[in-house]
Amino acid sequence: MDGKVIVVTGALGGLGRVVVDEALARGARIASVDHAPTQVPATADLFELGGVDLTDAAQAGKAIAAAAAHFGKLDALINIAGGFAFETVTDGDPKTWQRMYALNVMTALNASRAAIPHLIASGAGRIVNIGAMGALQAGSGMGAYAASKAGVHRLTEALAAELKGKITVNAVLPSIIDTAANRASMPKADFAKWVTPQELADVILFLASDAASAVTGALLPVNGRV
């Protein structure tokens, strides 16, 4: 991935940090975008943009424009920014559905729309979204989250068809990711069966690479050792 310029949203989260570190190790240059603040000074390979609300189209546009201006181009966008909520339909808050849609669908939509002109100019543009295995068949308490991730799946397919021949657009569909937060919330689970952030990062970066030039519109399950 030498010389590739990649924007990673949600870059300061558990998965985002692993993707950023692995991409840098492979020679990519990274624009790291996150809602959390950052104090890290820009380097030749890493440009961090903190305090960005990607649910706001204007803020997303400014962040993507700043990344393109800093590096002079964009080759890939990895949409990791998102959120999770567990509550039943019967007892939950309807506002949760709006929040999940904003955090999971609108962040990917806003960043993608802003990045598309730059990715087309790249000649080998890539968009990689994060869907969810749980959106294929939602369980109890997963309604709002699964519905929003299903929206990410449909966004991926629609963009892939719209941009075919210009940009590849794919999504990975992880099962449970082995993070500290998930271990704390499910302490009796068999962690060995979960997908590690490194395993997921490997798949994401393959889809962002030149090697995946023939893959678009794919919804790729990454479901660990189930």
Side-chain angles (χ1 to χ4, degrees):
M1 306 194 81
D2 282 349
K4 294 287 187 184
V5 175
I6 303 174
V7 176
V8 180
T9 75
L12 299 181
L15 175 60
R17 289 180 186 275
V18 174
V19 171
V20 168
D21 288 346
E22 183 62 28
L24 287 170
R26 298 184 189 192
R29 292 178 289 168
I30 302 297
S32 161
V33 182
D34 203 281
H35 190 263
T38 178
Q39 302 295 328
V40 177
T43 67
D45 296 323
L46 179 62
F47 178 45
E48 290 197 351
L49 293 149
V52 180
D53 181 1
L54 291 172
T55 68
D56 181 279
Q59 289 193 42
K62 288 179 181 179
I64 296 296
H70 181 79
F71 289 115
K73 66 169 185 172
L74 297 181
D75 297 303
L77 168 66
I78 300 174
N79 285 311
I80 298 176
F84 176 78
F86 184 90
E87 63 181 38
T88 62
V89 175
T90 304
D91 299 322
D93 187 340
K95 290 182 180 179
T96 299
W97 291 71
Q98 297 172 331
R99 181 165 60 89
M100 287 294 96
Y101 187 85
L103 290 175
N104 292 321
V105 180
M106 294 307 298
T107 56
L109 173 64
N110 290 336
S112 296
R113 281 172 53 88
I116 283 170
H118 304 287
L119 298 176
I120 291 175
S122 162
R126 306 279 186 265
I127 296 174
V128 184
N129 295 323
I130 309 299
M133 286 286 289
L136 301 180
Q137 183 173 357
S140 176
M142 298 288 286
Y145 173 76
S148 68
K149 285 298 188 179
V152 173
H153 299 179
R154 303 293 83 81
L155 171 64
T156 299
E157 293 167 336
L159 273 180
E162 181 178 331
L163 300 171
K164 192 170 185 179
K166 300 176 182 178
I167 301 171
T168 67
V169 187
N170 297 288
V172 295
L173 280 56
S175 55
I176 302 173
I177 305 173
D178 189 0
T179 63
N182 283 338
R183 288 191 177 209
S185 65
M186 293 173 275
K188 295 182 179 180
D190 184 353
F191 307 143
K193 292 184 177 180
W194 291 359
V195 178
T196 69
Q198 182 63 54
E199 289 170 330
L200 191 52
D202 288 340
V203 179
I204 289 169
L205 291 177
F206 165 72
L207 292 173
S209 74
D210 289 340
S213 61
V215 183
T216 194
L219 303 177
L220 186 61
V222 185
N223 56 7
R225 290 149 294 280
V226 295

